[in-house]
Amino acid sequence: QVQLVESGGGLVPAGGSLRLSCVASGRTFSSYVTGWFRQAPGKEREYVARISRSGSVTDYAGSVKGRFTISRDNTKNAVYLQMNSLKPEDTAVYYCAATAGSFSRAYSGYDYWGQGTQVTVSS
């Protein structure tokens, strides 16, 4: 079992930056692929980024590539999402997720989820 707790959300003007953090319980965090997803009001949850168990491989949705950076620190059981050049369309609840399975973009591929953190970008 893994429990995930996100933090770092908030209100930021367009063009600004935020850094989201996700801290996991348990001693085997390095065994899990982790990802970030987001869900805006009235929309489906969408993939943002993922990172491999070691942190050596990352992948991004096209809408955030070049602006967001995912990273992890397995010694701290943490994964991060650095978000730069934020746009109003980035407004959503952001979720951290983890899986012991494959390196997937699909939210159905993740077994553990945090409670989410709200990011609001004003125009």
Side-chain angles (χ1 to χ4, degrees):
Q1 289 283 345
V2 176
Q3 291 184 326
L4 305 170
V5 179
E6 303 100 332
S7 62
L11 174 64
V12 63
S17 298
L18 280 175
R19 187 191 193 211
L20 305 184
S21 298
C22 173
V23 177
S25 64
R27 296 176 292 176
T28 60
F29 181 65
S30 60
S31 300
Y32 295 88
V33 169
T34 57
W36 287 96
F37 292 78
R38 66 187 182 185
Q39 188 166 18
K43 295 188 177 181
E44 293 188 353
R45 190 168 300 191
E46 67 171 348
Y47 166 75
V48 175
R50 57 184 168 156
I51 189 165
S52 63
R53 293 169 175 81
S54 67
S56 60
V57 181
T58 58
D59 178 68
Y60 299 91
S63 59
V64 307
K65 196 169 186 178
R67 299 188 297 123
F68 291 12
T69 302
I70 188 171
S71 61
R72 67 190 296 163
D73 184 343
N74 287 336
T75 66
K76 297 181 179 180
N77 280 9
V79 62
Y80 308 100
L81 187 67
Q82 177 67 43
M83 306 186 295
N84 298 328
S85 302
L86 283 161
K87 304 175 181 180
E89 51 263 44
D90 294 318
T91 295
V93 177
Y94 282 71
Y95 297 91
C96 173
T99 178
S102 61
F103 192 56
S104 174
R105 282 190 166 204
Y107 67 78
S108 59
Y110 288 80
D111 306 302
Y112 305 102
W113 292 84
Q115 83 288 351
T117 185
Q118 177 71 47
V119 171
T120 304
V121 184
S122 61
S123 57

